[in-house]
Structures are given as C-alpha cells and as structure tokens.
Amino acid sequence: TIHEAMEQQTLSVAKAGIVCKLNCRATIIAVTNAKGGLYDHEKTLTQNTGIDPPLMSRFDLVFRLIDDSDHDRDKNIATFLLNNAIEGFGYECTNPTSNTVDKVWKMEKLRAYIATVKARFHPSVSKEAADLLERHYRECRKSDSSTITVTVRFLESLIRLSQAHARLMYHDVVELRDAVAAILLMEMSAGCLHGFDQGMRDPDELRLYRDPMSTVFPDDSIADIEFLCDQYMLLDRYGMLQYLKEDEQEKVLAYVQKYRQGDSDGHGS
C-alpha cells in the first residue's frame, strides 16, 4: 500500500464489499537507524537500513547522517548552538540580545509564504532546465556505482525538486538555476552521481558532492557567488557553459582565482 501511495498518490481499498481508490497526497519524512545501531561502511545503504530498493527509490531525497567524531565539525556545531543561545534563539529563550532575531521569519510568516507560493505557482519547465535535467539523468543511469537504483522515479524527483525551488523563488517557470539547485541538493543525497563511497574516484567527478554532516553554509556576503561557482562546475560537467552569461563566467573565474590565491597565501604564512 505504501508503494502505491508514494508513487501514484492514491490508496486502493477493497474491504467489506467496498472497492474504491482514494487520493493520498502528503509529504512523507522517515528516519531510521542502521541495523545493529552502527553503520557498516562495507555494506550498502539498503543492507544497513534493511529497506528494499523499490521502497528506497520512492523517496526523492535520502540522506546518510553519520555522527562520527570530528574536531572541526564538533566545533562548528557547538559554536552554532552557543551563538544561538547567546543571541536568544531556541531553548525557550525569551530575552533576545541581538538584532539578528529581527531578520528571521516567524513561523506564521513562513507558513503563509509557503501556502501562497504553493497555491499561486504551478511551474512549467524551461528548455534549458529540461536539457540539464535530462543530461544529468542519463549520466546517473550510466553510472555503475550509484547508491540507489536510478529509475524514471529519479527523473521525476528532479522535476519535483526543481519545481519546488521555482515556487520558493516566487516564479512560475523552472529556470536553469532551479534545475541546478535541485541537482546540487540531490548530490548531497543517496542520488549523488557516483554514490556515497567515492574515495577512489577521480576528484573532478566529486567536486559537487557534499556531505550534509560536514557542510557549512556560506555567509550571506558570498552565498550567491558560491552558488554561481557550483552552477559553473555543473554546467561545465555537461558541456552547457553557453547557458551561463559571459559576465557570470568572468565573476566565477575571478572569484576562484582570488580564493585560491588567498588560500595559498594563507598556507605560506
């Protein structure tokens, strides 16, 4: 039943002489621990969770969160939580001490915005976005090291995520950047191009992979250019840089050159 509900968004009922099909549209969020409590890196995701591939493939996003001891990550988490406590976020804080609180949307406003864009926009996919999604889907189909089975459901997931991002950005057409955002999000999940176990892969193939347990969001001042850099790398992977404006390409190259120069200077000091 859950297979039908997740794929066709319907529930078929045949009981007590009643045969009918009911609509079933809901977001499903599931959490599970590894069998035995410890994740075995020598086994597949399916073997660790005990979830069969047909059911696993019905989730748009599957994240693997392993809480290993890591000095830098533990420091980032502690800093984040303590800064939130200092600034008056969470843990039933009632005396905010920072102007940052005013920049965060209240839950009522966030719910109203989501309800508005969900009802107002039903995005269609642009030609450029469709081209990128198609190329990424074909590349994932060819990969022999995927963590999950790549089927047509995978492409449908990419389309849904792209449309969701378009709504979030308040427009009615899935633009190239929306498709890029969906693929970048997929690259953090079990749907990443070459699977989770990528240690022996060519580094050029791994540039877009992100471990959600160690990823740090960039500051607002560089968030846009960081996204543009990832967009550049993704389009370069599929030979689609012609879709990126020349001035945006120049921004990326200048930023990367400056970043690498600054990084090398830092190591040299």
Side-chain angles (χ1 to χ4, degrees), residues 148-210:
I148 60 174
T149 304
V150 178
T151 65
V152 176
R153 297 191 192 105
F154 181 85
L155 179 58
E156 292 174 339
S157 296
L158 287 173
I159 295 172
R160 280 192 293 268
L161 292 171
S162 300
Q163 291 174 324
H165 190 269
R167 290 191 185 98
L168 187 64
M169 295 294 102
Y170 211 81
H171 49 255
D172 207 20
V173 176
V174 175
E175 301 174 356
L176 186 63
R177 60 177 176 170
D178 300 311
V180 169
I183 293 174
L184 292 178
L185 185 59
M186 191 68 78
E187 286 293 290
M188 299 178 65
S189 74
C192 55
L193 179 57
H194 295 289
F196 283 139
D197 301 322
Q198 308 177 55
M200 302 302 293
R201 294 284 169 181
D202 183 344
D204 286 342
E205 296 178 343
L206 311 179
R207 292 180 296 175
L208 296 174
Y209 174 73
R210 303 288 189 275

Side-chain angles (χ1 to χ4, degrees), residues 38-146:
L38 294 175
Y39 191 92
D40 188 347
H41 292 274
E42 299 298 323
K43 297 181 179 179
T44 65
L45 181 66
T46 299
Q47 292 172 332
N48 272 287
T49 59
I51 301 176
D52 295 332
L55 179 57
M56 185 78 73
S57 66
R58 281 169 167 78
F59 287 94
D60 289 343
L61 295 167
V62 179
F63 296 105
R64 182 186 64 175
L65 306 177
I66 301 178
D67 189 20
D68 292 330
S69 177
D70 180 90
H71 178 269
D72 292 335
R73 182 168 60 83
D74 292 343
K75 180 181 178 182
N76 289 334
I77 293 174
T79 301
F80 174 78
L81 293 176
L82 291 173
N83 284 343
N84 279 354
I86 293 172
E87 295 180 359
F89 290 104
Y91 299 103
E92 300 182 356
C93 294
T94 56
N95 298 312
T97 59
S98 171
N99 293 330
T100 309
V101 177
D102 298 332
K103 301 178 182 179
V104 179
W105 282 13
K106 294 184 179 298
M107 187 60 66
E108 293 78 10
K109 184 177 181 179
L110 180 60
R111 287 173 176 165
Y113 180 79
I114 293 175
T116 299
V117 298
K118 186 177 181 180
R120 180 171 181 174
F121 298 111
H122 300 86
S124 58
V125 182
S126 66
K127 181 181 181 301
E128 296 82 2
D131 190 12
L132 177 59
L133 294 177
E134 178 188 354
R135 296 190 188 196
H136 182 68
Y137 169 68
R138 285 193 281 110
E139 192 67 23
C140 290
R141 285 280 290 178
K142 291 191 299 183
S143 176
D144 59 355
S145 57
S146 299

Side-chain angles (χ1 to χ4, degrees), residues 253-266:
L253 296 177
Y255 177 78
V256 171
Q257 184 177 8
K258 180 180 178 181
Y259 173 80
R260 289 178 177 175
Q261 182 65 35
D263 187 59
S264 60
D265 292 344

